[in-house]
Amino acid sequence: MEPIIEIKNLTHIYSPKTPFEHKALDNVDLTIYRGEYLGIIGRTGSGKSTLIQHLNGLMKPSSGQILFEGKDIWGSKAMTHDIRYQVGLVFQYPEYQLFEETVYKDIAYGPRNMKLSEEEVDRRVRQAAKFAGLSDAVLERSPFELSGGQKRRVAIAGVIAMEPKVLILDEPTAGLDPAGAAEILENIEAYRKSNNATIIFVSHSMEDVARITDRLVVISKGTLPYVGTPHEVFSHGEDLDKLGLAVPAMNRVFSRVHAMGVDIDPAVYTVEQAKAAFLEAFRRKERV
Amino acid sequence: MALKDITLGQFFPGNSFIHRLDPRSKIIFTVLFIVIIFLCKDLVSYGLVLASLLVLVGISKVEPKVFVKGMKPVVFIVVCTAILNLFYTDGNVLWSLGFLKITEEGLWKAFFMVLRILMLICSTLLLTYTTSPILLTDGLERLLRPLKKVGFPVHELSMMMSIALRFIPTLIQETDKIINAQKARGADFDSGNLMQKAKALIPILIPLFISSFRRAEELAIAMECRCYHGDEGRTSFRQLRLHGRDWAFMTFTILLLAAVCVLRYFGL
């Protein structure tokens, strides 16, 4: 697979050389590939927000490098400016950033900042609205009279309209009902498929992330103790629990059973997998 | 942007003599101290006042470094005042170059003016550094209570002040967040002419206004849920009481005022 973002020895220190000095990221190395669906999980204050704000140049590393398609994002001024459009970042509760009179104008804010032609802006706004499941009628309404879930989709469309190669979303489903959350996940998946985009999904809830992502990164106290497929990461179930992460209930049960000495796969995190693991374990027992 | 580095009436918790004083005596001190500073005329009174201020800063156990940092915003004013007084005072000329001249009187005047401004800032910093915002507004409310007789809404005013103080850090944080979110959409706040720069602020100001209104509404509902109905019949969890140390501190302040008055009107 082809790398798109490479993080090399990234360290970030807040308020250096003061009594409030705090190391938020400590020598982090990570490679992110084109087209992958990456999950980043960590509890509040683990450094996940700091990490993602480095990926589009909102924060400058205290030391270390971030390469985008092989080039240092702080290498030239043009690169630092351009990276904002290549790596789209959707913050937590993005609906609080809406400001325009109509949904259309708000989505067009990013593309207009890119100084695209009016036709291109129009194409991108309509395309992004389609990905976000917003109808043409909604485009002409004020964003402030929409429902919470719709506002969230407008905000996400505002970032998608820049057609970033990497789309980072910080807790995009927080505070939504299950139906609204599922819809947002579908919208994100649609964008990924059509543009072969890389998606980085940040959350504190493992249950959501494990189900949708190809690869998981666990962040804790500014380091990345576990990186791998959800199956690999969940084989460390008990350790994850110790890091204070909300491990899926199913995983908790299976890692406990495994720790008690039963020959069963401990890395289970969904009901389907639990069923498969059970049957597998029984079969093995019968054979003996 | 380092918005969160702004110190606005910052409070440094502690347990020194100054910290434990009643907020009312500290407010009275600060007001009287400003009067004292402006009554000073000669070297002896300036020395006396400066020495007492330094002693108070010393016993407050707040690091002197913090006071220096708090005085930084007025450096520009101080420098301007010094220059104006230095060059525009008539008297015994010490040095001149073309139309510029420095007089002995100008030198003294500049020195005293700078000292005055710095002492002024330092004494108010002493109040805000050692008094929590809540105690400060409580104290102010109690001190202004007599004004209620003439229909002045003392309680409402102090409640507004507490709420404003409480929300300053929240709003600073919120602004930081919105700035980052719009930057992620390619917002550019640094280039262009004045008009373009002003326009670039709209995407920050509108969301900020909206969230302030939202917060205000939420707070109002939360207050009503707890049966807040203004001043009438409201009792206070923290009862302010003047102790021996407060009387001692106020006596000291009045003695200082008297000393400076004597020095000013009767000389030595």
Side-chain angles (χ1 to χ4, degrees):
Chain A
M1 274 209 292
E2 179 197 356
I4 187 155
I5 296 178
E6 289 158 88
I7 303 169
K8 291 187 169 163
N9 306 320
L10 174 62
T11 297
H12 190 89
I13 301 167
Y14 282 109
S15 329
K17 295 189 187 96
T18 69
F20 308 105
E21 183 172 304
H22 170 63
K23 209 181 229 182
L25 292 174
D26 189 2
N27 219 359
V28 167
D29 279 289
L30 180 67
T31 304
I32 299 163
Y33 299 96
R34 193 183 296 279
E36 80 168 326
Y37 207 141
L38 183 76
I40 297 181
I41 34 180
R43 53 196 287 194
T44 323
S46 58
K48 49 187 174 150
S49 296
T50 312
L51 177 64
I52 57 174
Q53 287 185 51
H54 276 93
L55 300 184
N56 75 341
L58 277 178
M59 280 189 162
K60 200 172 181 173
S62 299
S63 69
Q65 263 191 325
I66 294 134
L67 306 182
F68 181 80
E69 296 183 331
K71 277 180 285 183
D72 186 350
I73 66 166
W74 289 96
S76 68
K77 236 183 161 173
M79 187 70 196
T80 312
H81 184 73
D82 200 44
I83 194 71
R84 303 266 163 86
Y85 307 125
Q86 305 288 349
V87 180
L89 176 53
V90 180
F91 280 92
Q92 230 177 85
Y93 298 104
E95 55 273 28
Y96 295 152
Q97 76 197 26
L98 301 175
F99 69 98
E100 275 287 11
E101 307 156 64
T102 66
V103 170
Y104 182 95
K105 279 189 188 168
D106 206 284
I107 299 177
Y109 179 68
R112 288 222 167 101
N113 282 333
M114 295 169 81
K115 313 236 159 35
L116 300 168
S117 69
E118 253 336 281
E119 296 89 68
E120 179 63 9
V121 170
D122 187 69
R123 183 192 69 75
R124 287 187 176 211
V125 170
R126 294 192 186 281
Q127 186 79 24
K130 225 163 101 194
F131 280 125
L134 299 163
S135 68
D136 279 356
V138 173
L139 284 180
E140 297 313 317
R141 286 173 65 188
S142 159
F144 301 109
E145 54 189 41
L146 303 179
S147 72
Q150 270 180 318
K151 273 187 197 165
R152 175 90 44 106
R153 291 212 294 265
V154 171
I156 293 175
V159 174
I160 286 182
M162 303 192 298
E163 300 194 345
K165 291 178 184 161
V166 178
L167 181 62
I168 308 173
L169 302 112
D170 190 357
E171 305 269 6
T173 57
L176 295 182
D177 56 78
E183 250 176 284
I184 296 242
L185 294 182
E186 274 168 37
N187 300 153
I188 296 166
E189 186 59 29
Y191 178 68
R192 177 169 95 110
K193 283 226 177 87
S194 83
N195 286 39
N196 189 29
T198 305
I199 308 287
I200 302 178
F201 193 105
V202 184
S203 179
H204 67 274
S205 154
M206 297 219 185
E207 205 132 12
D208 296 351
V209 182
R211 216 163 301 181
I212 52 175
T213 55
D214 309 327
R215 206 155 65 100
L216 273 183
V217 173
V218 177
I219 180 164
S220 172
K221 291 181 191 146
T223 59
L224 311 179
Y226 304 107
V227 178
T229 61
H231 191 266
E232 280 163 14
V233 169
F234 282 115
S235 61
H236 304 283
E238 299 231 309
D239 300 325
L240 296 175
D241 210 29
K242 274 184 207 134
L243 290 178
L245 289 162
V247 179
M250 205 52 79
N251 184 253
R252 198 176 297 232
V253 171
F254 277 73
S255 16
R256 278 295 290 282
V257 172
H258 180 78
M260 285 158 69
V262 180
D263 180 23
I264 201 164
D265 182 9
V268 159
Y269 54 90
T270 63
V271 178
E272 294 76 32
Q273 289 170 350
K275 185 178 160 194
F278 251 130
L279 294 176
E280 170 74 23
F282 273 124
R283 225 168 281 142
R284 243 177 310 187
K285 219 169 180 185
E286 271 167 25
R287 243 177 269 143
V288 176
Chain B
M1 273 229 195
L3 277 173
K4 54 177 171 283
D5 296 338
I6 298 172
T7 53
L8 265 168
Q10 206 179 359
F11 167 57
F12 294 91
N15 197 27
S16 71
F17 175 79
I18 308 278
H19 280 91
R20 276 178 290 146
L21 284 171
D22 188 285
R24 284 171 294 174
S25 42
K26 279 189 272 189
I27 294 170
I28 292 171
F29 163 80
T30 308
V31 173
L32 285 183
F33 198 80
I34 292 169
V35 175
I36 291 171
I37 290 170
F38 283 94
L39 282 174
C40 283
K41 229 175 148 187
D42 56 313
L43 204 55
V44 180
S45 48
Y46 270 113
L48 186 65
V49 173
L50 181 63
S52 4
L53 184 60
L54 290 181
V55 168
L56 290 176
V57 167
I59 51 180
S60 77
K61 294 214 178 96
V62 178
E63 272 188 70
K65 235 183 6 199
V66 194
F67 281 93
V68 175
K69 203 178 149 211
M71 282 189 250
K72 266 187 192 151
V74 293
V75 164
F76 179 71
I77 299 172
V78 168
V79 170
C80 283
T81 320
I83 288 173
L84 284 178
N85 280 298
L86 199 56
F87 291 113
Y88 290 93
T89 311
D90 288 323
N92 188 7
V93 178
L94 291 175
W95 176 88
S96 68
L97 181 87
F99 65 96
L100 290 174
K101 61 180 191 324
I102 295 177
T103 62
E104 199 185 334
E105 285 80 357
L107 212 59
W108 279 114
K109 212 169 164 187
F111 175 69
F112 282 144
M113 279 313 269
V114 168
L115 199 61
R116 260 185 197 179
I117 299 175
L118 292 183
M119 288 202 293
L120 197 78
I121 303 295
C122 192
S123 61
T124 41
L125 287 179
L126 185 67
L127 173 69
T128 55
Y129 281 172
T130 61
T131 320
S132 77
I134 298 173
L135 278 176
L136 202 60
T137 46
D138 276 2
L140 213 58
E141 185 178 353
R142 280 296 294 272
L143 279 176
L144 294 177
R145 196 176 276 177
L147 287 180
K148 235 164 68 178
K149 295 223 170 66
V150 291
F152 189 75
V154 176
H155 171 77
E156 284 74 8
L157 200 75
S158 80
M159 182 55 97
M160 271 158 60
M161 245 177 79
S162 321
I163 293 173
L165 283 173
R166 156 69 185 77
F167 277 96
I168 287 170
T170 314
L171 285 178
I172 288 176
Q173 243 179 24
E174 186 106 358
T175 314
D176 243 357
K177 247 164 74 187
I178 295 169
I179 288 176
N180 275 336
Q182 306 300 25
K183 268 191 185 166
R185 295 208 280 164
D188 182 3
F189 306 116
D190 305 318
S191 57
N193 58 33
L194 199 66
M195 196 58 202
Q196 281 164 322
K197 273 187 189 166
K199 255 187 156 167
L201 289 179
I202 294 174
I204 298 172
L205 293 179
I206 291 181
L208 198 60
F209 266 118
I210 292 170
S211 83
S212 308
F213 280 119
R214 200 188 60 242
R215 277 180 201 286
E217 202 178 332
E218 280 168 7
L219 183 69
I221 291 172
M223 283 167 83
E224 262 190 79
C225 287
R226 289 188 250 171
C227 302
Y228 176 79
H229 54 82
D231 193 16
E232 253 161 88
R234 189 174 160 87
T235 54
S236 172
F237 174 61
R238 276 178 311 271
Q239 297 281 351
L240 293 179
R241 247 183 223 114
L242 291 174
H243 296 272
R245 55 174 174 266
D246 294 298
W247 295 114
F249 185 62
M250 279 192 272
T251 312
F252 160 77
T253 310
I254 290 179
L255 282 179
L256 190 65
L257 177 66
V260 171
C261 279
V262 168
L263 282 170
R264 183 185 171 95
Y265 295 110
F266 300 104
L268 265 179

